[in-house]
Amino acid sequence: MSRGRVETWLIPQNHGPSAVTDATVRLRWSAPVADTRWLPPMCVRAGARTVLCRTGALPADSRGGRIRVPVQLAGAPSEVTVRIDTMWSGGSADHNPQNSTHKVLALDTGDVYYF
């Protein structure tokens, strides 16, 4: 994060046991999003602080393609929390729903965070 501009990169993963025909992940920031003009075509704004992104098909025990979600936050806050969670998975059973939600605090330092 730098001056309110946040780039979130994620790689969806399906641990199985079944393939997922498509899924939707939700990204929610603790600050309002001011600008989403750089969103990739598989993502849409879904509220003042929320973006939804399709993952595409995820075969069992595989990873999907990298999804880059750049946004500009309103007011250029000094820190922001982003929550990433599975919103929809095409009706597939999830035997470990604890790995479907992530929360990261990013500070306005320009540093890159991995989790």
Side-chain angles (χ1 to χ4, degrees):
M1 179 168 131
S2 179
R3 288 176 261 153
R5 178 144 167 104
V6 179
E7 283 197 23
T8 304
W9 294 73
L10 58 107
I11 300 173
Q13 186 170 0
N14 177 7
H15 295 283
S18 303
V20 174
T21 56
D22 199 359
T24 302
V25 292
R26 175 176 52 192
L27 295 91
R28 292 180 290 170
W29 289 270
S30 59
V33 175
D35 194 351
T36 57
R37 76 179 100 178
W38 304 284
L39 288 178
M42 76 282 273
C43 297
V44 296
R45 187 171 185 162
R49 301 170 190 252
T50 306
V51 170
L52 301 174
C53 297
R54 291 182 59 207
T55 65
L58 296 169
D61 298 318
S62 72
R63 292 183 177 186
R66 185 182 309 198
I67 300 172
R68 176 181 169 259
V69 184
V71 298
Q72 178 67 45
L73 301 174
S78 61
E79 66 181 44
V80 67
T81 300
V82 61
R83 291 176 175 260
I84 303 167
D85 59 330
T86 303
M87 180 77 178
W88 179 76
S89 61
S92 299
D94 188 349
H95 298 292
N96 184 10
Q98 289 79 21
N99 68 5
S100 298
T101 301
H102 303 280
K103 181 179 174 182
V104 176
L105 172 66
L107 305 175
D108 186 7
T109 61
D111 293 330
V112 176
Y113 299 88
Y114 295 92
F115 67 95

